[in-house]
Amino acid sequence: MKRLDNFFPELVVFDMDQTLCESKVPIDGEMTDLLRELLKRTKVAIVSGANFERFQIQLIIPVGGDEVLLNNLFIFATSGGSFFKFTENKFGSTWEAVYERLLSAPDKERIMTAFKSALDETSFTPPEKIYGEQFEEKGCQVTFSALGQEAPFDEKKLWDPDARKRQKIVSA
């Protein structure tokens, strides 16, 4: 029988935003240290709605370029629509897209039409202040943010604290 005190999982999976860090903010020093220690011991997969470029800013750059650690890190961007892993070859080391399930132009058009229909149906009124673009096309998904993609997290919480506005749009 295997002793549990020596047991360590082969893989640990996390969400990024609101788990490892605040939304669209790099992981802090303490989380960086904890993640680096975990990567020394096991494989880590991180899933997020963020695109790969956002992963680089929020996670990969803070973790650093230690190839031993990066070999244990697996990135599932855009809610799993893309999978990236660190690879080493004769030309050097880099992040490689194992797969990217990119939306076609007609799919993007249908999504935008559905968003606009839902916003009209719910009589959505844009907030007075919008931080950046409300729609973000991430290759594998399209994201809507009522306050804009760059809105501070605290503002987002204040705008829809009980998620009723969001649920109304989703239902439509």
Side-chain angles (χ1 to χ4, degrees), residues 17-121:
D17 292 334
Q18 306 316 117
T19 302
L20 298 177
C21 56
E22 294 293 330
S23 181
K24 298 191 177 185
V25 175
I27 59 174
D28 64 23
E30 179 182 11
M31 186 58 70
T32 298
D33 293 343
L34 291 168
L35 188 56
R36 289 176 64 82
E37 284 302 313
L38 186 60
L39 286 165
K40 288 177 187 175
R41 299 184 70 180
T42 193
K43 294 178 183 347
V44 175
I46 301 178
V47 184
S48 176
N51 61 21
F52 183 73
E53 291 73 23
R54 181 60 59 187
F55 265 99
Q56 289 177 305
I57 294 166
Q58 287 184 250
L59 191 95
I60 295 169
I61 291 170
V63 166
D66 184 330
E67 292 184 2
V68 172
L69 300 181
L70 296 179
N71 280 321
N72 276 343
L73 181 59
F74 302 92
I75 304 295
F76 290 89
T78 56
S79 304
S82 300
F83 169 37
F84 295 86
K85 70 176 186 173
F86 192 74
T87 60
E88 301 171 64
N89 57 43
K90 62 183 177 182
F91 302 110
S93 303
T94 190
W95 285 93
E96 170 188 311
V98 176
Y99 67 78
E100 289 186 276
R101 307 286 189 249
L102 302 176
L103 295 170
S104 68
D107 287 339
K108 292 177 200 174
E109 197 172 307
R110 280 195 302 277
I111 290 168
M112 291 306 296
T113 299
F115 266 125
K116 288 177 178 156
S117 174
L119 295 174
D120 288 345
E121 182 180 321

Side-chain angles (χ1 to χ4, degrees), residues 123-171:
S123 301
F124 172 76
T125 304
E128 285 183 29
K129 180 158 174 102
I130 297 175
Y131 300 83
E133 298 294 322
Q134 287 182 303
F135 291 93
E136 183 179 12
E137 193 273 302
K138 298 179 181 181
C140 301
Q141 70 185 39
V142 177
T143 303
F144 172 71
S145 180
L147 294 175
Q149 296 298 320
E150 302 305 319
F153 185 69
D154 290 341
E155 291 288 323
K156 290 179 183 182
K157 286 193 292 190
L158 289 173
W159 180 77
D160 191 16
D162 58 5
R164 285 186 186 171
K165 293 176 186 177
R166 181 175 302 133
Q167 286 305 316
K168 187 177 176 183
I169 295 168
V170 169
S171 292

